[in-house]
Amino acid sequence: MRVLRVVVIIGVVLGGLFVGLDRWAAGYAEDRLADRIQARQGLSGGVDVDIHGFPFLTQALSHDLDQVDLKVAGLDVATTDGRKTHLSQLQVAFRGVELNGDYSGGTARDAKGSTLITYADLTAAAQSGVTVAYGGAPGKVKVTASVEFLGRTLSRSVVSTVSLVDAGEGKGSKIVRVRADEVPGEGLPGIEAVVRKKTDFDRRLDVGLPSGVELTALTSDEAGVRLTLGGTNLTLAG
């Protein structure tokens, strides 16, 4: 019994040491990968990487990771008119990650994720004098604008549809489009065109995302406009 007890104690100690070593190795790999992704992609926000699966060391030795999660606290992406649009809570899960020989990076079979544009950030990306808020239903936003018409300054609010459309500039290029469903004319000829000039706008938001990750869908809720991301055969770092 004493021998068995000693064997059990040794087994527990060795198991604990292995778990501790495995978690240290996983943490070290996560930090290194986060640094490489941030440098390679030029990401502006804080980058956090989480490698799934236990034990990590056996996955690393086989150069094959089940899943790697990437989180970026905030990301500024360029638009076609030179503006910057801020994305919050960028999260991407890379699955089927095959590490390269020196562990400096790898490729992922596919990726899925999401990000958020708050209404404050969407307002900053809109025309001057325009504010954007929730429109009361998924895919809807409320756009309020001040316009000059016949020598008067008028304030108009419209419910608009926010959608994701092809930019026509090659594979993966997308535009976030905001279009008023209806503009009350109030019997004033030409008022609709004046209002739409402020309330309707397009913003291309795929420049600056991690390489290979594309916008695939969007909706809106009380927090802002939520975008779904996806991609296949992606380079994770290198």
Side-chain angles (χ1 to χ4, degrees):
M1 290 297 293
R2 181 177 299 174
V3 172
L4 179 60
R5 186 179 304 144
V6 170
V7 170
V8 171
I9 292 173
I10 292 174
V12 170
V13 171
L14 291 177
L17 290 174
F18 175 78
V19 171
L21 176 62
D22 188 82
R23 292 301 87 198
W24 176 87
Y28 177 78
E30 289 167 350
D31 291 343
R32 290 292 302 277
L33 190 54
D35 291 342
R36 286 185 176 275
I37 291 174
Q38 183 156 20
R40 186 179 188 275
Q41 305 289 352
L43 302 179
S44 55
V47 175
D48 182 58
V49 169
D50 182 22
I51 299 175
H52 286 240
F54 177 82
F56 162 74
L57 289 173
T58 57
Q59 293 187 80
L61 288 172
S62 66
H63 289 257
D64 190 9
L65 305 179
D66 292 336
Q67 181 173 320
V68 176
D69 289 349
L70 169 68
K71 296 180 181 179
V72 183
L75 177 65
D76 291 325
V77 297
T79 62
T80 50
D81 60 358
R83 295 181 183 224
K84 293 278 188 178
T85 300
H86 187 75
L87 306 181
S88 303
Q89 304 172 12
L90 176 70
Q91 303 179 56
V92 184
F94 297 89
R95 296 177 298 186
V97 176
E98 184 178 341
L99 299 173
N100 54 28
D102 62 359
Y103 297 96
S104 63
T107 58
R109 182 186 65 248
D110 60 63
K112 290 185 177 180
S114 63
T115 189
L116 172 73
I117 310 176
T118 66
Y119 291 116
D121 290 327
L122 192 57
T123 294
Q127 307 286 350
S128 177
V130 170
T131 58
V132 185
Y134 182 46
K140 301 294 183 181
V141 294
K142 179 182 178 182
V143 183
T144 302
S146 294
V147 299
E148 297 294 327
F149 187 74
L150 299 178
R152 298 166 56 195
T153 300
L154 307 176
S155 178
R156 291 292 182 271
S157 294
V158 296
V159 174
S160 301
T161 297
V162 57
S163 60
L164 191 66
V165 299
D166 249 337
E169 300 176 10
K171 181 182 177 182
S173 184
K174 303 288 185 180
I175 284 175
V176 174
R177 173 164 291 171
V178 177
R179 292 289 185 272
D181 295 347
E182 184 180 356
V183 177
E186 301 177 5
L188 300 174
I191 185 65
E192 179 173 353
V194 172
V195 173
R196 282 190 180 277
K197 191 173 182 180
K198 297 292 289 287
T199 61
D200 294 357
F201 58 92
D202 292 345
R203 290 292 179 268
R204 178 182 167 189
L205 297 178
D206 53 356
V207 179
L209 293 175
S211 294
V213 175
E214 303 171 1
L215 303 176
T216 59
L218 65 73
T219 189
S220 64
D221 57 24
E222 291 87 349
V225 173
R226 298 189 182 275
L227 298 124
T228 302
L229 312 171
T232 57
N233 301 320
L234 308 106
T235 299
L236 198 56

